[in-house]
């Protein structure tokens, strides 16, 4: 499978996980949280595949440790597509910056998915906070548009 096909597959699978109805039994909350964290993990794999995809033509310029974190945080590899992703990562309102924050939480001991049902006792709930599943779907939608533009740019070269 090509990196491009793998990226597409991972994005599709993340969307599928988020579309699964959690049910209405005593495990529904845990099932929803598992689907959200699973979808986020698939998003991370898709990000890895995407960076591999945009750097495959410039493989000679890619460091041996060319994982997505290294490629996005370092200026060692100079590619227009990576530079575009780096700029997105720096914009707090971008899909990539939001995804990176969630990925960091996913790797923490607390995880990223939260139980629904309101604020914990003694805390004030903040209105308008988007649930993780909705936020991920929004990020995926925006990512697919951006990936299309990245691919078009790399094909023009």
């Amino acid at each position: 499978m090509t990196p491009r096909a793998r990226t597409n597959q991972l994005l599709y699978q993340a969307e599928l996980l988020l579309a699964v109805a959690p049910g209405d039994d005593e495990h529904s909350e845990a099932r929803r949280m598992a689907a959200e964290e699973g979808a986020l993990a698939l998003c991370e794999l898709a990000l890895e595949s995407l960076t591999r995809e945009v750097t495959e033509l410039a493989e000679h310029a890619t460091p041996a440790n060319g994982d997505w974190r290294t490629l996005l945080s370092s200026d060692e590899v100079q590619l227009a597509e990576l530079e575009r992703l780096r700029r997105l990562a720096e914009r707090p309102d971008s899909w990539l910056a939001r995804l990176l924050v969630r990925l960091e939480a996913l790797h923490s001991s607390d995880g990223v998915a939260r139980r629904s049902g309101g604020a914990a006792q003694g805390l004030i709930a903040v209105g308008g906070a988007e649930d993780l599943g909705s936020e991920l779907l929004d990020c995926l939608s925006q990512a697919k548009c951006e990936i299309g533009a990245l691919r078009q740019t790399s094909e023009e070269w």
Side-chain angles (χ1 to χ4, degrees), residues 5-21:
R6 183 65 174 149
T7 302
N8 290 344
Q9 180 186 48
L10 291 164
L11 293 170
Y12 176 66
Q13 289 173 341
E15 288 177 323
L16 287 177
L17 267 181
L18 292 170
V20 172

Side-chain angles (χ1 to χ4, degrees), residues 116-136:
S116 58
Q121 190 174 25
L123 296 179
I124 299 171
V126 177
E130 190 174 25
D131 70 82
L132 180 58
S134 297
E135 182 179 9
L136 288 177

